[in-house]
Amino acid sequence: MTHELTDVRLASPSSNATGRPAGWWRDAVIYQVYVRSFADGDGDGVGDLRGVRERLPHLARLGVDAVWLTPFYVSPQADGGYDVADYRAVDPLFGDLADAAGLVAAAHGLGLRVIVDVVPNHTSDRHPWFLAARAGRPGCPDRARYHFRPGRGADGALPPNDWESVFGGPAWTRLPDGEWYLHLFAPEQPDLNWAHPEVPEEFADILRFWLDLGVDGFRVDVAHGMVKPPGLPDVGAAEQATLIGSQPLPFFDQDGVHEIHRSWRRLLDSYGGERIGVAEAWAPTSERLARYVRPDELHQAFNFRFLNCPWDAARMREVIDESLAATTAVGAPTTWVLSNHDVVRHRTRYGSGPQGLCRARAAALLMLALPGSAYLYQGEELGLPEVTDLPDALRQDPAFRRGGGRGAAGGGRTDAPSEAAGQEGLRDGCRVPIPWDGARAPYGFGSAGAWLPQPAGWAGLTVAAQTGDPHSTLELYRAALELRRVLPGLGAGDGVEWLPAPAGVLAFARPGFVCTVNTLGRPVELPVPGRPVLSSGPVGPEGPMVQIPADSCTWWAI
Ligand code: GLC
């Protein structure tokens, strides 16, 4: 048995064994679409909203609950659209507002919710507010919406403080008139001053604009960054991007950000239909991260600790326990995520070649067995590896350029093992366009080429090639998501019961269900925990004992 379904009892997908308040997002599987790399509907080599709409049936068939779309707003694309020049308009590269409305309606028609990105920490340097600020003088009111400061040193030639950009280099750029402005990311992404009353007002209006258009929520970019402490104190350490997520930093996770999230929660709740906010937040501890999902704040926060965890049973168990404890303490669901558009794909992080793929498939089943909500990144359902040999001239990630061609420590913030070494911080390799069908590039991505070249060997990885193959990663994901809807012990809930297991093996129970994960590079024998319903690798014949293959995860009904 590799991953065929066996008979399982039907239950309501929203059944809630814990008696917690229902909420679609508590156990939703949400699929991240990196728009420029998903599907090209107009033949210019860049993915767009029309392309996403045409490919929605793939997502419906996969069995996800919602789609998160990365920024498609008007932008000079200095950071893949995370540099927004007009928050209420679609960049012509991706379509227009009618395409956005049509996509939301089509997704709803297929039972899929739609979450869009909002980027409140910074604007583009081409945003009308920053153009006015740049054209103004030191001290003028237009500069008050950003963080402008005089420099240090006798002639002000030194940056105002020692903050470093997440992408490398100083977080400050000097204008010809001598003033410096703050950008925690690229110089084309000036940080907004949220203490200026027009900034929160403007963003409340932007949220309403998209909620009125029908979106079901927002992924809040850099949700931990909007508030800076008075006086902008020095960090006092170098390589600051490497400290993100483990050390307190003056420019991130300030208590004041929570007031903003509270006001956004009130706004979301003023709309019907359970609209949600999910924080992309980096905080030094799980407890600090859980503050973003207190009952009057956002609904979810990405759990990057799980993403960063190496393929090691003891470490994974620690992260799972810590994550569940922290969110349970505030009544929120935990989220699980293995890959996104900022990190080396997990198939490559876990090791190159077949071992990486085995582990990636197993990790996906583990993630989908845990209580809470799971985020999938486009292409992981195909088992796509990181593309590690892109020519430098084609790379577009600003982290690559600012990191001196090596990427930036914070650009691909992962604890990557040696197989992925050299790719951390290089974010183009996980953004290569999706292969849909056909024997050669662009594999059905669009009628022209693809904005980043796809490898020659991807014919066997296309959606078409994997469909119907019971051993394929795509069919494994489809089977897992289908089971997640029908097995009552999967999805909602907030705890797991750990079962005794040999070192290197994880075993936990949930109501009516057991999950086993063998992280070792060799098979192990276990007492049969139940009836196998899905496995990422072939489980041995059952007796009183059963052999579990190396680097695999198995779901058991009990
Ligand atoms: C977030 C995004 C990343 C972007 C950065 C700046 O971390 O995920 O892609 O570069 O914010 O907006």
Side-chain angles (χ1 to χ4, degrees):
M1 191 218 49
T2 303
H3 45 74
E4 77 258 20
L5 297 174
T6 60
D7 65 309
V8 284
R9 278 173 300 134
L10 275 172
S12 152
S14 56
S15 64
N16 192 332
T18 62
R20 285 200 167 286
W24 69 269
W25 42 276
R26 286 188 171 271
D27 61 352
V29 178
I30 301 179
Y31 184 99
Q32 177 186 358
V33 167
Y34 191 71
V35 176
R36 62 166 48 227
S37 303
F38 192 65
D40 173 15
D42 66 3
D44 64 356
V46 178
D48 47 38
L49 297 180
R50 209 198 298 167
V52 179
R53 181 175 173 171
E54 282 162 9
R55 294 293 187 181
L56 284 176
H58 168 67
L59 303 182
R61 175 156 182 210
L62 183 60
V64 300
D65 301 292
V67 181
W68 150 34
L69 302 170
T70 54
F72 49 78
Y73 316 112
V74 169
S75 159
Q77 305 293 326
D79 181 21
Y82 283 96
D83 48 320
V84 182
D86 183 347
Y87 288 83
R88 296 181 190 77
V90 174
D91 196 290
L93 194 58
F94 302 124
D96 57 23
L97 265 184
D99 292 324
L103 168 54
V104 171
H108 286 168
L110 290 169
L112 298 166
R113 303 196 193 233
V114 180
I115 291 169
V116 295
D117 240 295
V118 62
V119 187
N121 179 68
H122 43 264
T123 66
S124 160
D125 63 346
R126 312 277 177 82
H127 187 282
W129 279 358
F130 195 77
L131 293 176
R134 189 194 280 277
R137 299 201 180 145
C140 74
D142 283 324
R143 292 199 174 178
R145 297 191 196 96
Y146 295 89
H147 298 279
F148 277 85
R149 294 285 186 282
R152 291 198 279 201
D155 54 359
L158 297 173
N161 69 14
D162 72 353
W163 294 3
E164 293 171 359
S165 154
V166 172
F167 294 154
W172 296 90
T173 289
R174 197 177 197 192
L175 292 184
D177 60 33
E179 268 210 320
W180 297 76
Y181 69 89
L182 175 69
H183 52 86
L184 291 177
F185 294 87
E188 296 89 347
Q189 295 166 296
D191 278 52
L192 283 163
N193 173 15
W194 271 79
H196 190 295
E198 285 177 25
V199 174
E201 260 169 44
E202 172 68 356
F203 274 90
D205 197 64
I206 291 164
L207 296 189
R208 281 193 211 98
F209 179 87
W210 291 103
L211 291 168
D212 290 340
L213 189 125
V215 306
D216 299 283
F218 300 94
R219 177 264 191 190
V220 184
D221 189 64
V222 195
H224 54 301
M226 285 100 96
V227 172
K228 318 296 190 283
L232 310 182
D234 280 342
V235 174
E239 303 264 331
Q240 292 162 14
T242 62
L243 307 177
I244 298 169
S246 62
Q247 303 294 320
L249 288 164
F251 47 76
F252 280 160
D253 193 37
Q254 294 293 305
D255 288 345
V257 296
H258 296 287
E259 271 320 306
I260 301 169
H261 298 315
R262 287 196 180 98
S263 72
W264 285 18
R265 178 61 181 257
R266 288 192 294 273
L267 198 159
L268 289 165
D269 286 350
S270 72
Y271 280 77
E274 292 191 290
R275 320 282 179 116
I276 69 162
V278 51
E280 185 227 14
W282 289 84
T285 62
S286 293
E287 288 68 32
R288 294 264 335 159
L289 183 64
R291 292 159 63 98
Y292 290 78
V293 290
R294 289 178 289 194
D296 58 347
E297 298 200 33
L298 299 178
H299 299 72
Q300 300 181 334
F302 290 108
N303 182 359
F304 294 123
R305 284 195 161 67
F306 185 67
L307 182 153
N308 274 327
C309 189
W311 186 246
D312 175 288
R315 293 275 296 277
M316 291 196 291
R317 180 169 167 168
E318 226 172 77
V319 167
I320 291 167
D321 281 341
E322 187 190 301
S323 309
L324 289 170
T327 48
T328 303
V330 295
T334 304
T335 63
W336 310 102
V337 60
L338 291 165
S339 279
N340 65 33
H341 65 294
D342 290 331
V343 300
V344 174
R345 282 188 177 275
H346 62 274
R347 167 171 173 184
T348 303
R349 290 204 314 271
Y350 290 142
S352 49
Q355 188 181 48
L357 181 59
C358 286
R359 291 176 173 180
R361 289 160 54 97
L365 287 197
L366 165 63
M367 167 170 81
L368 292 170
L370 291 167
S373 172
Y375 278 79
L376 308 182
Y377 176 53
Q378 65 180 36
E380 71 169 77
E381 80 278 23
L382 305 176
L384 291 190
E386 184 81 1
V387 178
T388 53
D389 57 357
L390 288 169
D392 287 357
L394 296 180
R395 289 188 182 271
Q396 301 204 10
D397 179 7
F400 173 70
R401 280 179 274 121
R402 286 184 62 85
R406 286 178 297 103
R413 295 156 285 216
T414 73
D415 195 358
S418 56
E419 292 85 346
Q423 297 298 315
E424 313 93 270
L426 303 179
R427 301 181 302 171
D428 292 303
C430 64
R431 298 175 180 181
V432 170
I434 296 300
W436 293 95
D437 50 50
R440 63 188 65 85
Y443 304 108
F445 170 68
S447 53
W451 69 279
L452 279 175
Q454 299 149 300
W458 274 13
L461 293 176
T462 65
V463 173
Q466 295 197 40
T467 293
D469 171 359
H471 302 288
S472 73
T473 301
L474 176 58
E475 293 296 352
L476 178 71
Y477 270 74
R478 285 177 175 161
L481 291 174
E482 191 176 343
L483 274 173
R484 203 176 140 100
R485 285 175 188 269
V486 297
L487 277 172
L490 288 178
D494 52 20
V496 298
E497 182 200 338
W498 292 108
L499 304 173
V505 175
L506 294 174
F508 61 85
R510 306 201 56 214
F513 174 84
V514 166
C515 178
T516 54
V517 184
N518 178 10
T519 65
L520 303 173
R522 56 180 162 75
V524 289
E525 287 230 313
L526 293 180
V528 176
R531 181 164 52 90
V533 289
L534 189 66
S535 184
S536 66
V539 172
E542 287 168 58
M545 300 292 281
V546 64
Q547 199 179 67
I548 313 284
D551 294 315
S552 70
C553 176
T554 308
W555 289 6
W556 311 84
I558 53 169

